[in-house]
Amino acid sequence: MTAAWITLAAAISTSLLGQVLLKFGASHSVAASADFMDQLFRWQTISGLACYGGAALLYIVALRKIPMSVALPCTAASYVVVALIGWAMFGESLGATKLAAIALICGGVVLLAASA
């Protein structure tokens, strides 16, 4: 595995962490008194946005060596992990249709990565 692929994996992981932090920031702002500004300035939301920024920088570095037509679809791997985290941590549904979609995403990511 080259440094570019490791960087892409780090970008995907950092983006994934950002998504989870944003969900925590949104989930803990459900009180009637909580408004958008309260949610925006929660530490989880700010950290999640920072992770997204870091992920973008890592992605830019990965694009120096990996074709965009391969790198961007590989980020779809995060959809799989997000679905599993949503189910495990936030009680989101994970039915047969979602599982079938996850299998298709996995297959597509593997095919694209192999074509690079």
Side-chain angles (χ1 to χ4, degrees):
M1 183 178 272
T2 67
W5 284 100
I6 293 170
T7 305
L8 180 61
I12 293 168
S13 298
T14 305
S15 176
L16 174 65
L17 176 61
Q19 184 66 35
V20 172
L21 286 167
L22 290 176
K23 178 65 175 177
F24 271 119
S27 298
H28 292 84
S29 297
V30 294
S33 62
D35 61 1
F36 175 73
M37 294 306 287
D38 175 59
Q39 178 182 344
L40 183 64
F41 289 105
R42 292 185 58 79
W43 73 265
Q44 295 96 333
T45 305
I46 293 169
S47 298
L49 292 171
C51 284
Y52 271 171
L57 294 174
L58 290 167
Y59 183 71
I60 290 167
V61 172
L63 285 176
R64 297 162 92 190
K65 299 287 183 183
I66 301 172
M68 184 175 64
S69 61
V70 174
L72 183 61
C74 285
T75 64
S78 67
Y79 300 158
V80 175
V81 179
V82 163
L84 296 174
I85 290 173
W87 170 76
M89 294 179 70
F90 301 106
E92 297 177 1
S93 67
L94 191 62
T97 304
K98 282 187 183 177
L99 291 172
I102 287 170
L104 289 171
I105 290 169
C106 289
V109 169
V110 168
L111 285 173
L112 278 168
S115 74

